[in-house]
Amino acid sequence: MSTTVEEPTMDPTPTPTPAPADAAPARAADRTAAVLALARVEARELVMQIPVLFFFLLETGLLVWKCWDEEGMDAFPVLNTVDRETQSGPLLASIALLICVNVAVQRDRRNGTAQQFGVLPMEPWRRTLAHLLSVVPFALLAALLVAAEYAWSALKPGAVGHGSLGELAVGPLMVLLTGAAGVLLARLLPSSLVPILFAVAAYFLITSLLMTDGAPEGVRRLAPVLDTGGGGGDPVPSDLLGRPAAWHALYLAGLCALLACAALLVAGGRTRALKAVTAVALAATATGAVGQLPRDTAALDAARKTASTAPERVQSCTTRGGATYCSFPEWNGVRGEWAKVVDRVRAAAGAPASDLRLTVRQRIDTSGGLEVDGALAPSTTPGEVTVGTRWGGNRVGEFAVGVAAVLVAGTEARADALCDGRMVTVMWLALGSDPHPLTALRDLRLDDAVTGSGVVLAPTDPLSLTGQQTEVLRALLDRPRAEVTARVKAHWRDLTSPRTTTARTARLLGVPVPKGEETCADEE
């Protein structure tokens, strides 16, 4: 008997083994890890690029040098100008990063390996994302340098006012913006000349259209780096600036995200999350742009006019040693420095000027614009001395000249017309007790000289020294200080008389009479 054994029928399509439940999340985690790993590699490659390395090292070196050299006005920084000054530091490094990251994205095309990259499991848009992430460490480095620069100024005992986080964010955001622009340009126009042409075109567009005086204020604020308005003039109180720093930072952040999303979309990214982020970035950019539009300009203009023409309405005052010191709120901490100069100058004057009640008034002038270079008009109020919003360095000597001129002439307006021996008395009061009088004289004169005629700087209009007056002053500075001070006090009435000539002043103070005919036009 035979038995037949039937072989089992083999199904040509085997039943697939169910995948573990966590396989999909694992693959997503692997993709994320791969993107981050590639971003780290690309960041290291960017660090080794000479332009990027050079300009970031240059920015670091300039910061170290600036922190090391803290003499003069740097010892009394105004923080609402310091935060804006941090914006210019990362600009050159940003341009270098734009060019180098553009070259990095085109590496596979340039080396002829684009097809090999095409067979990799990582999609082109993920590789683009890795290039975008490679820029982030440089933005963080820029933020660290900006924070160090601002903190160094803010921690000084003489720091004035406060800064703005929105202003401080501009530099790091510029690094992100240029990096995203470099990646986007590489995906849109893969050519090594494109980023250079783009940088040049962007510069001319911003300077010729967005930052010109004729452009509307709302248009000028679309420039990535807001015009600081630094025309060499003195700072103003923070509430008079009218700068929409927070809105501008939001505008830049949205623009960074928008360029990054555009690069990913061009590279093939079509995920819902990417489209949602693109919409949010577009909304943030538009919101930041609209938020910068000028509003309530009438109130701001009125506040600026009040601060310029009637500062006493917005200032507080304190009395120290027989003098009253009035300042804008942010400068209250500098009053003690002003008092030291006033006390020093008055101590060298004779009666009754040594007991004259002075009013030191802080003044600004916004009639020609904010922070523009210009001279304040002399005050006609008796006993009132002008002081500006910068302090330290040459400003100390200029203020001493202003105090001495008011003690001698009574008002700043009358001191503006001094053309006789009283100028010698003014300069002696300002320099006689200075530890380095000749250096101070050189710093005060417009020609940086200590001989001959010249113009002497003061808080308001400058004063004039003739050659003979300079000669007498130099002779006084060579004599013992106590001896000259005693003579000044003893002959104070004659030394402050408009009828006293320079020759008469020299005789009263016991120094040789200068030769030659003296005229006020003896200026070179």
Side-chain angles (χ1 to χ4, degrees):
M1 186 173 80
S2 63
T3 60
T4 303
V5 179
E6 297 183 359
E7 296 182 359
T9 302
M10 302 296 295
D11 189 354
T13 57
T15 303
T17 302
D22 60 346
R27 286 197 296 272
D30 291 341
R31 290 172 180 170
T32 302
V35 170
L36 294 178
L38 181 58
R40 288 194 295 270
V41 172
E42 293 296 343
R44 285 197 297 267
E45 289 294 326
L46 285 175
V47 170
M48 300 309 296
Q49 298 299 313
I50 293 179
V52 174
L53 181 63
F54 173 78
F55 283 112
F56 271 101
L57 288 178
L58 177 63
E59 182 184 351
T60 305
L62 291 175
L63 175 59
V64 172
W65 178 79
K66 181 178 180 180
C67 293
W68 183 269
D69 183 19
E70 56 177 2
E71 297 296 328
M73 287 181 290
D74 289 337
F76 297 87
V78 181
L79 299 183
N80 68 34
T81 62
V82 173
D83 57 5
R84 287 175 283 156
E85 291 172 354
T86 63
Q87 299 176 10
S88 59
L91 288 182
L92 291 178
S94 298
I95 296 174
L97 187 64
L98 182 149
I99 297 174
C100 291
V101 76
N102 183 275
V103 171
V105 176
Q106 299 183 60
R107 188 187 304 114
D108 56 345
R109 181 184 296 272
R110 187 175 62 256
N111 295 338
T113 57
Q115 293 181 345
Q116 287 83 345
F117 275 103
V119 301
L120 294 178
M122 183 180 292
E123 302 94 323
W125 72 269
R126 293 185 186 274
R127 296 200 299 273
T128 301
L129 177 59
H131 284 291
L132 291 169
L133 292 177
S134 69
V135 178
V136 174
F138 297 94
L140 295 177
L141 176 59
L144 179 63
L145 294 176
V146 166
E149 180 177 357
Y150 179 79
W152 183 263
S153 298
L155 294 176
K156 292 179 180 178
V160 175
H162 55 83
S164 168
L165 185 60
E167 301 283 10
L168 296 173
V170 170
L173 287 175
M174 274 297 299
V175 175
L176 280 179
L177 183 64
T178 53
V183 175
L184 177 60
L185 289 174
R187 291 307 185 195
L188 288 175
L189 301 170
S191 172
S192 58
L193 292 178
V194 168
I196 300 176
L197 296 176
F198 172 80
V200 174
Y203 172 79
F204 281 105
L205 174 66
I206 292 172
T207 56
S208 61
L209 295 180
L210 300 183
M211 297 180 67
T212 58
D213 294 335
E217 183 68 19
V219 174
R220 293 193 334 200
R221 290 175 178 176
L222 296 180
V225 176
L226 290 175
D227 184 10
T228 61
D234 292 340
V236 298
S238 301
D239 56 352
L240 301 183
L241 290 173
R243 292 170 62 88
W247 289 114
H248 188 70
L250 176 63
Y251 163 73
L252 281 184
L255 199 57
C256 292
L258 190 61
L259 292 184
C261 291
L264 295 175
L265 290 172
V266 171
R270 295 293 187 272
T271 64
R272 291 182 179 179
L274 179 58
K275 294 178 181 178
V277 173
T278 303
V280 173
L282 182 60
T285 304
T287 302
V290 172
Q292 296 181 82
L293 293 177
R295 53 176 59 87
D296 198 17
T297 56
L300 183 60
D301 291 341
R304 291 173 177 174
K305 184 177 180 180
T306 299
S308 298
T309 60
E312 64 276 2
R313 297 181 183 177
V314 292
Q315 291 180 345
S316 61
C317 301
T318 186
T319 301
R320 300 185 183 185
T324 302
Y325 301 88
C326 302
S327 64
F328 296 105
E330 292 171 276
W331 279 266
N332 289 348
V334 193
R335 292 171 177 173
E337 299 296 326
W338 303 340
K340 293 178 183 177
V341 178
V342 171
D343 294 343
R344 172 171 62 85
V345 175
R346 286 206 305 181
S354 57
D355 299 323
L356 179 66
R357 295 191 64 86
L358 298 176
T359 298
V360 176
R361 174 79 63 187
Q362 192 172 44
R363 296 170 58 200
I364 60 173
D365 183 11
T366 62
S367 59
L370 293 182
E371 301 176 337
V372 296
D373 194 10
L376 295 168
S379 172
T380 58
T381 303
E384 183 172 276
V385 183
T386 296
V387 65
T389 52
R390 288 192 185 275
W391 187 253
N394 295 353
R395 295 296 187 270
V396 177
E398 294 173 16
F399 178 63
V401 172
V403 174
V406 171
L407 290 177
V408 171
T411 67
E412 291 179 339
R414 288 200 292 265
D416 191 37
L418 289 179
C419 182
D420 45 60
R422 290 177 295 174
M423 271 302 302
V424 175
T425 306
V426 168
M427 296 306 297
W428 161 255
L429 293 179
L431 302 176
S433 57
D434 192 282
H436 305 286
L438 286 182
T439 301
L441 176 61
R442 181 179 290 106
D443 293 338
L444 286 173
R445 286 180 49 136
L446 201 58
D447 56 1
D448 295 328
V450 293
T451 58
S453 61
V455 176
V456 177
L457 298 176
T460 56
D461 289 346
L463 307 179
S464 298
L465 268 179
T466 64
Q468 286 79 6
Q469 291 165 355
T470 302
E471 184 178 344
V472 174
L473 177 63
R474 287 286 306 272
L476 291 174
L477 295 177
D478 290 337
R479 301 292 295 272
R481 184 179 304 170
E483 175 188 332
V484 178
T485 301
R487 285 179 173 270
V488 168
K489 290 179 178 291
H491 301 286
W492 180 257
R493 187 175 299 276
D494 290 331
L495 293 174
T496 56
S497 172
R499 295 186 297 272
T500 302
T501 64
T502 302
R504 169 74 171 156
T505 298
R507 296 189 189 96
L508 291 173
L509 297 179
V511 295
V513 176
K515 298 180 181 179
E517 183 180 357
E518 181 183 28
T519 61
C520 290
D522 187 26
E523 298 180 11
E524 300 176 359

